[in-house]
Amino acid sequence: MLDEPDPARVAGLLKQLERMELSDLTALQEAARSAPPQVQRNLGQGLALARYRGLEPDWVKLCEATEPDLERGLVLIGMANGATEYDVAGHLDGLAAQVSAKLTGDRAIDVGLNALAEVLNASSLAGNREQYYDPANSRIQDVLRTGKGLPILLCAVALLVGRRLELPVWGIGSPGHFLGFYGDPSIGLGAYFDPFRGFRRLNFGEVTALLAPFVGTVDPSMLKPVNDAELLARVLRNLIGAEGAAGNAVQVARLEHWLELLTAP
């Protein structure tokens, strides 16, 4: 039965697998490592459904909050998408301690952004150019473990480290390439930075050149900060695209459901 290739019959199989305990499914998948590809694929899909089922109550609770918790949201998305357990909070705390040691009380743009970029670069955090569309680039556990990720996840790391130190770090929802901002974007005081390329500071001309391939002419309205719900929604959309390209229909369906829960009025 586990080697069933017929999609219509697989749907019934997946419903049965989804109701199994996650630990039992994980053990079954481990035992089936040498099984035929179809068996492994069906087990993998069942395991994915079970993960989403187990985590969905926590996701619903997060979505019901006035402002969802960014760090918790990223952790839940990563867990549901298959990331292995990782001490995200501890890793971010460690990065914040390193940045704090370089600030000596000064949070001005030159000092603050430089300290943040220096520590994150020293931690080998950078864009994954070779495997840009790998779903792991959208899982914060894997980004912190490997140092590779998409611009939005790398910026989220900068945001979460900055918040631990009350640094004015913002995510900018620019089309095609997510950017960061250090300072006060409401009055344009501060600097943009590119989390994908070493958290390098960008002037406005460099920003427009970077975004031009995606939008042509850059309008200032494209460079507004996003809130945590908007950032999480964009992470989910990125994962939907990556899993869709890989043909993982089960993942796409559950991610789309989580996106609906997050964006519901």
Side-chain angles (χ1 to χ4, degrees):
M1 187 175 183
L2 285 173
D3 61 354
E4 178 60 62
D6 184 351
R9 294 180 178 178
V10 167
L13 171 63
L14 292 181
K15 287 183 179 179
Q16 296 180 46
L17 292 175
E18 183 180 6
R19 290 192 290 268
M20 290 179 63
E21 291 295 326
L22 191 58
S23 58
D24 293 338
L25 262 175
T26 302
L28 186 58
Q29 188 182 45
E30 187 67 27
R33 282 190 178 276
S34 59
Q38 188 63 50
V39 172
Q40 295 186 39
R41 180 173 177 80
N42 287 341
L43 282 173
Q45 290 181 341
L47 187 60
L49 284 170
R51 280 196 302 265
Y52 281 101
R53 174 181 56 80
L55 293 168
E56 190 156 302
D58 290 335
W59 182 255
V60 169
K61 183 178 179 180
L62 178 137
C63 294
E64 290 173 345
T66 303
E67 181 68 25
D69 183 299
L70 176 60
E71 185 172 332
R72 180 59 177 160
L74 291 172
V75 168
L76 287 173
I77 290 171
M79 291 172 63
N81 194 243
T84 55
E85 188 174 348
Y86 191 78
D87 184 7
V88 171
H91 193 135
L92 295 171
D93 287 345
L95 292 174
Q98 294 177 56
V99 175
S100 179
K102 295 180 178 295
L103 290 176
T104 62
D106 190 349
R107 281 157 169 72
I109 296 169
D110 288 342
V111 176
L113 180 54
N114 288 349
L116 183 64
E118 183 179 342
V119 168
L120 297 182
N121 278 320
S123 300
S124 300
L125 284 163
N128 191 342
R129 300 170 185 266
E130 293 75 22
Q131 296 177 302
Y132 189 88
Y133 297 102
D134 187 336
N137 295 327
S138 293
R139 300 192 291 250
I140 192 168
Q141 297 92 332
D142 290 319
V143 171
L144 292 175
R145 182 186 296 108
T146 67
K148 302 296 184 182
L150 291 182
I152 190 170
L153 261 292
L154 295 168
C155 189
V157 171
L159 272 168
L160 294 170
V161 171
R163 288 179 183 178
R164 282 163 162 76
L165 302 171
E166 299 183 353
L167 299 178
V169 182
W170 304 83
I172 303 297
S174 41
H177 191 96
F178 202 88
L179 296 173
F181 189 88
Y182 188 102
D184 186 347
S186 67
I187 58 174
L189 180 62
Y192 294 101
F193 63 88
D194 183 1
F196 196 74
R197 296 174 175 84
F199 303 88
R200 183 173 65 88
R201 186 182 309 194
L202 303 173
N203 59 39
F204 188 74
E206 290 170 320
V207 169
T208 57
L210 179 61
L211 299 182
F214 305 105
V215 297
T217 302
V218 176
D219 186 272
S221 63
M222 301 174 181
L223 301 175
K224 292 182 179 179
V226 297
N227 60 34
D228 290 354
E230 292 167 334
L231 193 153
L232 289 170
R234 186 157 168 172
V235 171
L236 287 170
R237 292 188 184 99
N238 287 340
L239 267 174
I240 289 168
E243 295 289 5
N248 295 328
V250 168
Q251 287 277 3
V252 169
R254 300 317 300 163
L255 289 164
E256 288 177 340
H257 178 59
W258 276 29
L259 179 60
E260 290 173 2
L261 291 171
L262 179 64
T263 58

